[in-house]
Amino acid sequence: MQNKKFYITTPIYYANAKPHIGHAYTTVAADVLARFHRLQGEEVFFLAGLDEHGLKIQRIAEKAGKNPQGFVNEISQEFKRLWDKLNIKYDGFIRTTAPEHKKAVQKALQRLYDRRSIYKGMYEGLYCVGCEQFKTESDLVDGKCPDHNAAPEHLKEECYFLKMSELQNSLIKKIKKDEFQITPDKYKKEILSFLEKHKLRDISISRKNISWGIPLPLDSTHTIYVWVDAFLNYLTGIGWKGEPNKIPEQWPPDIQLMGKDILRVHATIWPVILLHLGISLPKKLFTHGFILSGGKKMSKTLGNTIAPEEMIEKFGVDGTRYLLMSAGTFGEDVDLTMERAAGKYEADLANGLGNLVARTLAMTEKYCEGKIPKINKDPEKHPLRTDKNIHNWKKVWQDLDENLANLRLNEAIGSIWKFIAEADNYIERNKPWNLAKLGKTEELNWALYGLLDGIHQVAWQIYPFIPETSLKIAEALDIKGLLKKSPNYKDSWINIKPGTKIKKGAVLFPRLGSKV
Ligand code: MSP
């Protein structure tokens, strides 16, 4: 591989129901990061997918009177449709019912058995079908799983176990040294404190009474535990065939994104499987919080859920992407209500970015014959580009690099929008319409050139977040680099060309009017 590689994953969501806004949140974030790294010319692989086995899905399909394969086939279409709609550009979509995945997982399990990492035993304990996880009494609140508000089932059956505790110390070391980085830092502390207080128990990696799963190669009366099957997607999704010494070149993942609900398993079972297989660990796990609504967890009973389609319908695709990514600090819980989202849409998109672009293009049409004006000064001297007293667009690039490297998505957006506000102030201060009236052509051209130069940069800067809008601005200004299939942001430093005819398009973000 010539260029630096960047491999990013999202969790593979359960194919038990249609996608909801929480799934969209993680997946849009991954898409933003993938697009940002592509802009830098990196060789990006963004893996999405679905977790299609296990008791939860088996039961739901039964209840719907469908066979599980037919059921997950339908759900997978729903996910793919939504991702297409949301302009998610994944490079791979792995389904755990794919024959290649199944074969590779079986090979891996056989190897774990051959290496004596797996042994046969008897399991007795609690199991939450909602989580598809074994639970201890200390995980429960009033006898129920707090995430699913349901009492776990009691299980006693023969199964195969994966050895966990013998690798606990080497796992702790790797986490401490950031060889296996867990971010944000509070989650690293949480996991380390968990690992230092509890001896990891060997986990059951097979189930005897669940038919909807991959048969265990060494004992076909068992199927493989759904989480073990699911974790291996991160390898099979890039073409791994189950052979530890033939690892695809994208490996290891640079970032694995997930919500805080599934960090513990990703920080324990997942690396232990890899250590047993002799495969290097992912570089970084990044955990984000939950989307809440009005301070409460979204739930059907409370009636505060927001469907992705509902947001797209009201705010458009880019509106939805923007509102999700700017809802709050990535890593913390964020709060989203349709009412607040509507206010933000009007302020930041219709009045903010949309209005700045519309005004700038309209003034160019009116005062400069619809062409990027000629200037006789060095564009580098334009205040919107370099004035230290202004949140200029060069500063935005620095912020973007730094914020996106640290997954501060909301802050990255904040910096771009601070520039948009600066550009608006610049218009108010310089009043191009007065300059036109007074016949001050040079000053007028300088002002408009700076504004066009500014929105040219903004088109690049917003690309990872709201790519459709970015391309519309690129079209208006005829920005060649962005209009190419795989843009590289180094092109962004090329100055806009005086004399270029602008093409004013449709309104970027129509006002919501009576819609909300
Ligand atoms: N199938 C497992 C993951 C296996 S990965 C090897 C699973 N699936 S899930 O459908 O339950 O998806 C959980 C993930 O969906 C969370 O970790 C998070 O990425 C996303 N979210 C689900 N609800 C969410 C919110 N309310 N808020 C934010 N993200 C949420 O667990």
Side-chain angles (χ1 to χ4, degrees):
M1 217 176 273
Q2 281 175 332
N3 297 336
K4 193 167 162 226
K5 65 109 195 158
F6 180 75
Y7 176 30
I8 183 164
T9 68
T10 63
I12 49 170
Y13 309 112
Y14 288 124
N16 64 333
K18 277 170 45 163
H20 60 69
I21 204 73
H23 302 137
Y25 184 59
T26 316
T27 301
V28 169
D31 187 61
V32 168
L33 292 164
R35 285 177 186 269
F36 178 69
H37 284 265
R38 272 188 218 113
L39 277 186
Q40 300 184 76
E42 292 176 27
E43 203 74 48
V44 171
F45 198 96
F46 164 19
L47 180 65
L50 285 182
D51 191 352
E52 303 189 337
H53 288 126
L55 188 57
K56 175 151 71 175
I57 289 169
Q58 182 179 319
R59 284 187 182 160
I60 283 181
E62 262 163 28
K63 222 169 145 191
K66 296 191 173 144
N67 80 34
Q69 188 65 61
F71 182 82
V72 296
N73 286 350
E74 281 173 28
I75 298 285
S76 75
Q77 288 311 313
E78 300 257 14
F79 272 87
K80 282 189 169 165
R81 250 199 308 273
L82 181 64
W83 295 163
D84 285 349
K85 225 188 211 174
L86 277 171
N87 219 343
I88 305 293
K89 220 167 156 248
Y90 51 77
D91 300 287
F93 191 94
I94 175 81
R95 298 180 53 192
T96 54
T97 53
E100 312 80 61
H101 171 82
K102 292 200 243 178
K103 258 188 246 153
V105 169
Q106 286 183 320
K107 256 198 187 158
L109 271 280
Q110 184 65 49
R111 175 155 176 109
L112 289 172
Y113 188 66
D114 296 344
R115 291 180 66 150
R116 312 223 183 294
S117 306
I118 286 176
Y119 63 93
K120 193 169 178 174
M122 184 63 101
Y123 180 83
E124 182 167 10
L126 302 168
Y127 191 79
C128 170
V129 182
C131 300
E132 294 281 16
Q133 280 178 40
F134 298 99
K135 298 281 166 182
T136 60
E137 292 291 345
S138 65
D139 293 327
L140 308 179
V141 178
D142 298 331
K144 290 180 176 172
C145 161
D147 284 350
H148 293 93
N149 200 25
E153 297 176 15
H154 186 261
L155 277 184
K156 185 177 181 189
E157 63 183 29
E158 173 197 281
C159 68
Y160 288 82
F161 285 92
L162 177 73
K163 293 180 185 169
M164 294 288 291
S165 61
E166 62 183 43
L167 291 170
Q168 187 155 351
N169 284 339
S170 74
L171 180 59
I172 292 176
K173 262 191 224 144
K174 284 182 188 293
I175 296 175
K176 278 192 175 153
K177 282 200 279 179
D178 282 341
E179 266 173 52
F180 176 51
Q181 209 186 341
I182 297 177
T183 50
D185 205 48
K186 66 169 179 180
Y187 289 111
K188 174 177 170 182
K189 292 203 178 98
E190 190 184 297
I191 292 295
L192 280 174
S193 123
F194 171 77
L195 286 172
E196 275 157 0
K197 278 195 209 116
H198 302 83
K199 182 168 179 273
L200 286 178
R201 294 192 317 165
D202 293 350
I203 61 142
S204 159
I205 54 93
S206 75
R207 297 293 306 273
K208 213 171 165 128
N209 300 313
I210 297 178
S211 56
W212 187 235
I214 304 177
L216 192 65
L218 40 130
D219 182 343
S220 58
T221 63
H222 287 243
T223 53
I224 296 165
Y225 173 42
V226 61
W227 270 97
V228 173
D229 163 1
F231 282 133
L232 292 169
N233 93 85
Y234 299 133
L235 278 155
T236 60
I238 47 171
W240 185 60
K241 303 259 182 295
E243 289 169 29
N245 49 356
K246 283 197 194 144
I247 308 291
E249 56 184 351
Q250 287 90 352
W251 192 261
D254 294 271
I255 298 177
Q256 300 209 275
L257 283 187
M258 68 201 66
K260 61 185 181 182
D261 49 339
I262 56 173
L263 169 65
R264 172 94 63 88
V265 278
H266 273 86
T268 53
I269 304 176
W270 172 222
V272 167
I273 296 174
L274 290 169
L275 289 172
H276 276 299
L277 287 170
I279 297 175
S280 61
L281 302 190
K283 288 192 195 154
K284 185 194 289 213
L285 303 186
F286 187 96
T287 309
H288 62 71
F290 284 143
I291 299 186
L292 307 175
S293 191
K296 300 205 173 81
K297 198 173 171 200
M298 282 192 193
S299 88
K300 294 220 171 94
T301 348
L302 290 175
N304 62 350
T305 52
I306 298 176
E309 293 77 7
E310 191 188 345
M311 280 192 81
I312 296 173
E313 160 81 10
K314 280 195 174 134
F315 308 121
V317 168
D318 277 357
T320 302
R321 291 174 63 109
Y322 176 83
L323 293 165
L324 285 175
M325 292 300 98
S326 64
T329 302
F330 196 56
E332 303 291 328
D333 286 348
V334 300
D335 205 90
L336 194 72
T337 62
M338 280 305 263
E339 213 186 350
R340 201 146 8 93
K344 218 161 177 294
Y345 174 94
E346 290 284 350
D348 298 357
L349 298 175
N351 291 335
L353 176 60
N355 194 42
L356 173 68
V357 172
R359 272 174 111 185
T360 304
L361 295 178
M363 289 190 289
T364 309
E365 280 197 334
K366 195 162 172 195
Y367 307 127
C368 305
E369 297 162 348
K371 287 186 196 143
I372 296 178
K374 288 196 177 58
I375 48 165
N376 45 21
K377 280 197 260 186
D378 179 2
E380 203 56 23
K381 301 244 159 62
H382 200 282
L384 287 174
R385 194 188 278 211
T386 42
D387 187 339
K388 292 210 169 39
N389 298 316
I390 284 180
H391 188 76
N392 60 62
W393 62 251
K394 283 213 164 169
K395 174 82 179 64
V396 177
W397 277 118
Q398 284 166 12
D399 284 354
L400 263 189
D401 282 346
E402 206 183 301
N403 285 325
L404 288 186
N406 292 297
L407 282 81
R408 292 195 291 255
L409 306 181
N410 180 36
E411 289 72 5
I413 288 181
S415 177
I416 305 173
W417 260 260
K418 211 167 150 192
F419 172 75
I420 292 173
E422 285 288 7
D424 276 335
N425 285 338
Y426 180 86
I427 298 180
E428 293 316 318
R429 276 200 315 273
N430 290 279
K431 300 188 179 51
W433 48 92
N434 277 350
L435 299 175
K437 223 189 282 167
L438 299 170
K440 296 187 169 176
T441 317
E442 258 181 44
E443 283 174 49
L444 174 68
N445 287 353
W446 180 239
L448 284 179
Y449 180 93
L451 287 163
L452 289 161
D453 183 42
I455 61 171
H456 167 242
Q457 296 301 321
V458 168
W460 281 98
Q461 291 163 344
I462 59 173
Y463 175 80
F465 301 95
I466 46 175
E468 240 176 68
T469 307
S470 164
L471 292 176
K472 282 183 193 161
I473 303 173
E475 208 139 312
L477 299 177
D478 203 11
I479 304 175
K480 295 278 185 303
L482 250 175
L483 294 169
K484 272 191 240 145
K485 274 273 174 284
S486 60
N488 181 327
Y489 95 138
K490 302 277 166 350
D491 292 359
S492 67
W493 301 104
I494 297 169
N495 290 324
I496 45 173
K497 285 201 184 62
T500 306
K501 186 104 184 106
I502 58 149
K503 288 181 229 126
K504 211 174 127 202
V507 173
L508 292 178
F509 296 100
R511 290 187 195 286
L512 297 172
S514 55
K515 270 218 255 171
V516 170

